[in-house]
Amino acid sequence: MALESTPNHTQTVAGWAAHDSSGKIVPFIFKRRETGVNDVSIKVMYCGICHTDLHFVNNDWGITMYPVVPGHEITGVITKVGSNVKNFKIGDRVGVGCLAASCLECEFCKNSQENYCDQIQFTYNGIFWDGSVTYGGYSDMLVADHRYVVRVPDNLSMDAAAPLLCAGVTVFSPMKDCQLVESPGKKVGVVGLGGLGHVAVKMAKAFGHHVTVISTSPSKETEAKQRLGADSFIVSTNDEQMQRGKRTLDVVLDTVSAQHSLGPILELLKVNGTLALVGAPDRPIELPSFPLIFGKRSVKGSMTGSMKETQEMMDVCGKHNITCDIELIKPDQINQAFDRLARNDVRYRFVIDIAGNSKL
Ligand code: NAP
Ligand code: ZN
């Protein structure tokens, strides 16, 4: 059922959508639901461009429902609150990430792990309870259930904080799971220095770890060390550097968006080390058994983070003054930004100035 045919979808919104797998983004007018008793309305200020948006507009995963309005790294200001909403008021600076709703009743919802609820509804390309397709943050206004909204700390700027809502929490959650948050002294590897990877480096450094970047881009070495604070840099195509790195790392976060081999990365882990996969290539990745067996190593996945973790991550970023390194663009530059993102040419996240507040 299209949003337009859902009776309580009365609010007209201007956004940007792709209509087919060419992935081309064009202006798109659509309707959102009325602001319900549990909802808040948000004037969108900024929205980050996650590589997931690129996977979706191009239908890389074969699950895109067109037209798709991408965007799940959203910051903005509350303009309306429903009658049940007590924790937000008009004017609050807030953020919305990947999650739009969950069942609220299963073991995962009850234990603040609603990101693993099997009825999870995503901010875009999801089917909401009323049967409508969800539309994301490449749009000037959003209606969100208040349980899936977090506060943006006052000291963080709204544009550079936007990518924390997906990239930030997606790397924070496995770091927490691997006991890396606020417990220093581990050797952490980050594979892929893109949107997710660069914020992982900043967080891991802020938490007091020794950080090694594993990258296909030698040109990123100086910046990784000088700007982002990485201690060490391995070019993954350089066999000698990879050999030298064997058995040196406790935890590796793999943020790579394309197919690549896991064997050499697993070899970088110490015995008992953990590889946490968050990158989501469109084709299956081979998992060789020998480096797992000979090093008693583990591989696990992680899907964004819970709402509790998202707020915790925002607050930790507030405390450590962590935001993303961004390239701010206007909405009419989204297609160019997608082209550059596909070519691995961004330092390190595009953010769309939806409300036109910044001088560009
Ligand atoms: P991104 O900014 O494009 O960064 C990905 C990085 O991967 C690139 O900067 C590049 O780093 C490396 N890379 C690209 N192609 C490669 C190749 N063929 N072989 C090896 N390395 C390659 O993307 P992102 O926004 O950080 O997202 C990364 C992935 O995470 C995407 O697949 C996205 O869908 C996924 N994701 C997952 C979750 C989740 O919940 N699990 C949430 C958000 C995003 P170097 O230049 O350093 O090699
Ligand atoms: Zn994302």
Side-chain angles (χ1 to χ4, degrees):
M1 197 192 303
L3 268 175
E4 286 71 11
S5 60
T6 313
N8 77 334
H9 285 249
T10 53
Q11 310 200 63
T12 304
V13 179
W16 292 268
H19 291 267
D20 56 50
S21 62
S22 71
K24 188 169 184 292
I25 293 278
V26 291
F28 177 57
I29 305 289
F30 60 97
K31 302 246 190 229
R32 291 199 186 277
R33 67 177 185 268
E34 285 166 14
T35 311
V37 291
N38 289 313
D39 292 334
V40 296
S41 294
I42 298 167
K43 178 183 163 57
V44 177
M45 291 173 66
Y46 297 100
C47 188
I49 297 185
C50 180
H51 204 112
T52 298
D53 301 348
L54 190 56
H55 289 308
F56 267 109
V57 298
N58 293 336
N59 199 17
D60 282 351
W61 298 329
I63 54 170
T64 305
M65 296 178 274
Y66 293 102
V68 60
V69 177
H72 58 207
E73 296 187 332
I74 303 159
T75 55
V77 173
I78 293 200
T79 53
K80 219 188 230 181
V81 289
S83 56
N84 287 348
V85 180
K86 304 293 174 225
N87 56 335
F88 292 110
K89 59 178 190 325
I90 291 172
D92 282 355
R93 288 158 38 102
V94 293
V96 173
C98 300
L99 309 185
S102 59
C103 82
L104 302 173
E105 281 167 8
C106 70
E107 58 174 306
F108 302 104
C109 285
K110 285 193 172 141
N111 289 310
S112 291
Q113 291 188 300
E114 63 283 308
N115 46 323
Y116 297 109
C117 169
D118 71 356
Q119 292 182 54
I120 196 79
Q121 316 277 336
F122 293 107
T123 299
Y124 70 86
N125 203 71
I127 312 250
F128 201 64
W129 307 133
D130 61 10
S132 64
V133 174
T134 56
Y135 289 157
Y138 293 14
S139 62
D140 61 12
M141 189 274 268
L142 192 74
V143 178
D145 184 307
H146 72 287
R147 288 166 287 216
Y148 305 89
V149 177
V150 295
R151 292 177 180 286
V152 179
D154 285 339
N155 61 317
L156 302 185
S157 62
M158 294 292 266
D159 51 1
L164 296 175
L165 275 307
C166 172
V169 72
T170 298
V171 296
F172 178 80
S173 182
M175 280 193 211
K176 197 171 155 71
D177 208 45
C178 295
Q179 284 90 46
L180 296 176
V181 178
E182 314 288 15
S183 77
K186 294 272 167 37
K187 297 236 167 156
V188 177
V190 175
V191 191
L193 196 64
L196 269 59
H198 94 288
V199 66
V201 172
K202 289 189 184 193
M203 284 184 189
K205 282 312 296 174
F207 303 156
H209 303 294
H210 181 282
V211 179
T212 301
V213 171
I214 300 111
S215 171
T216 58
S217 309
S219 62
K220 293 181 183 173
E221 175 163 3
T222 310
E223 257 182 45
K225 289 181 172 164
Q226 289 175 5
R227 259 185 84 85
L228 306 174
D231 301 284
S232 172
F233 193 95
I234 295 177
V235 178
S236 53
T237 50
N238 182 319
D239 288 341
E240 198 195 315
Q241 289 185 17
M242 289 295 279
Q243 283 292 331
R244 246 186 287 135
K246 274 188 174 181
R247 292 196 172 210
T248 58
L249 304 173
D250 295 292
V251 175
V252 171
L253 285 178
D254 185 329
T255 74
V256 173
S257 52
Q259 209 178 25
H260 59 293
S261 23
L262 290 189
I265 295 169
L266 285 166
E267 299 281 8
L268 300 176
L269 286 166
K270 296 178 184 170
V271 173
N272 266 319
T274 302
L275 173 62
L277 279 182
V278 290
D282 55 351
R283 281 175 298 161
I285 307 186
E286 233 175 64
L287 185 61
S289 50
F290 276 35
L292 281 183
I293 295 169
F294 281 85
K296 203 185 167 200
R297 299 167 175 117
S298 313
V299 180
K300 61 178 167 188
S302 189
M303 223 276 298
T304 188
S306 69
M307 293 318 300
K308 197 173 161 204
E309 277 171 336
T310 308
Q311 187 64 66
E312 186 185 342
M313 177 274 311
M314 289 306 272
D315 295 342
V316 166
C317 286
K319 181 177 154 199
H320 293 285
N321 231 329
I322 297 173
T323 51
C324 301
D325 288 19
I326 62 166
E327 294 192 40
L328 207 53
I329 62 159
K330 295 181 192 160
D332 64 6
Q333 297 172 307
I334 297 172
N335 291 308
Q336 285 153 267
F338 274 149
D339 287 347
R340 284 187 50 202
L341 180 59
R343 292 197 308 267
N344 193 8
D345 173 24
V346 50
R347 298 288 194 277
Y348 281 90
R349 193 56 127 197
F350 288 111
V351 171
I352 313 163
D353 177 15
I354 301 275
N357 284 341
S358 306
K359 281 204 189 105
L360 287 175

